Amino acid sequence: MVTENVLSLVGISKTYRVGPVSTEVLRGVDLNLSSGDFASIMGRSGSGKSTLMNIIGLLDRPTSGSCFLNGHNTSKLGDNALSKLRNRLIGFVFQSFHLLPHLTVAENVALPLVYRGIRRTLRMRKALECLRLVGLEGHAGHHPDQLSGGQKQRVAIARAVIGEPAILLADEPTGALDADTASEVLELFKSLNVKRQTTILIITHDIQVANQCLRQFLMKNGTLHERVAGTFGNESSSQRQTSVNAV
């Protein structure tokens, strides 16, 4: 069993200040994810889950605490170093896909490799490999407006994994999809996790999505708690109330 920590959060807090008013959004969050974990964080709007995702994704900095990504203490890095680390170690999947309409499907998938300075021939070859992985190799020359919502999300997933990231962060990845298409996308995540041992963290408000994950966390009032897998929606089940320091 692989136990190497891909992600370690230690005492993460986040406070926003507007004039004299301070709002504490995260309160001493601890979290460890190992290589190959398939996890979800669920919480109501305003619970702090989006803020936590932005910190994990190196899009925001905590007010206090430390974030370790593949052994790198990101709290000590400058903006340029964070940008390079984000490109190399994190793959993003968003609810609204974020595909560039003027680029072809293959060019959208290859985009993370552009920022690594990889030559076009190699990055397009890798893009086709990733499109094959998600079952869309026949759409490489199409543009996003020629695709369905489910196909767009598959393209976004291919783009997220092309750089072989240490962790894939998915923010409400099924939020814009119908139930059947959402199920197909979740099966794709499961396949990536099992066959490629991709570490996946899904941020969601959907109980059905959360219950598909092997590790499940609840964000409540800025604190994070791990639950028994598959128990979201069953409020009589036991919940691990302890901090999630241990894996």
Side-chain angles (χ1 to χ4, degrees):
M1 178 178 178
V2 178
T3 57
E4 177 189 356
N5 281 340
V6 170
L7 174 71
S8 292
L9 303 181
V10 182
I12 294 292
S13 297
K14 182 67 177 181
T15 299
Y16 292 102
R17 293 181 174 85
V18 179
V21 179
S22 296
T23 303
E24 189 177 25
V25 180
L26 299 177
R27 305 176 182 180
V29 171
D30 297 329
L31 171 64
N32 286 330
L33 291 182
S34 298
S35 178
D37 269 345
F38 184 34
S40 63
I41 296 178
M42 185 174 170
R44 295 179 178 178
S45 178
S47 63
K49 65 183 189 299
S50 294
T51 299
L52 183 61
M53 193 210 75
N54 287 339
I55 290 173
I56 294 172
L58 309 184
L59 299 170
D60 196 4
R61 295 177 183 270
T63 302
S64 62
S66 299
C67 173
F68 295 87
L69 188 60
N70 250 25
H72 298 273
N73 186 351
T74 65
S75 307
K76 297 182 178 298
L77 299 179
D79 290 343
N80 288 339
L82 285 177
S83 180
K84 291 179 181 178
L85 201 65
R86 184 167 56 245
N87 177 264
R88 185 163 59 89
L89 296 181
I90 303 174
F92 291 96
V93 179
F94 299 100
Q95 177 178 341
S96 53
F97 318 128
H98 291 321
L99 302 179
L100 299 182
H102 62 283
L103 298 182
T104 66
V105 164
E107 288 169 339
N108 268 283
V109 173
L111 198 56
L113 302 186
V114 173
Y115 301 116
R116 296 189 188 184
I118 295 176
R119 68 184 188 275
R120 178 178 173 82
T121 302
L122 178 56
R123 66 178 186 257
M124 295 307 289
R125 187 174 78 227
K126 288 182 172 293
L128 290 175
E129 291 173 358
C130 289
L131 284 171
R132 190 173 300 115
L133 184 69
V134 301
L136 288 177
E137 64 269 28
H139 294 73
H142 293 179
H143 284 80
D145 62 0
Q146 297 173 288
L147 305 179
S148 68
Q151 289 172 329
K152 289 178 182 178
Q153 196 59 295
R154 285 175 175 269
V155 172
I157 293 170
R159 180 185 58 195
V161 301
I162 192 171
E164 300 180 359
I167 186 170
L168 192 157
L169 293 181
D171 185 17
E172 302 286 3
T174 62
L177 306 176
D178 61 68
D180 289 341
T181 306
S183 179
E184 293 173 0
V185 167
L186 281 173
E187 288 302 316
L188 178 55
F189 280 129
K190 290 179 184 178
S191 177
L192 289 170
N193 177 250
V194 172
K195 294 180 180 179
R196 293 169 61 107
Q197 282 295 291
T198 303
T199 305
I200 299 174
L201 178 60
I202 297 177
I203 312 297
T204 185
H205 69 276
D206 189 323
I207 290 174
Q208 300 303 318
V209 172
N211 279 338
Q212 296 293 312
C213 299
L214 300 179
R215 296 185 68 194
Q216 298 165 15
F217 299 87
L218 176 66
M219 178 67 73
K220 186 175 182 180
N221 297 325
T223 62
L224 191 67
H225 306 273
E226 186 165 11
R227 295 177 59 111
V228 175
T231 62
F232 278 123
N234 179 9
E235 296 308 316
S236 64
S237 64
S238 61
Q239 178 178 342
R240 299 180 199 175
Q241 295 293 341
T242 57
S243 171
V244 290
N245 285 317
V247 175

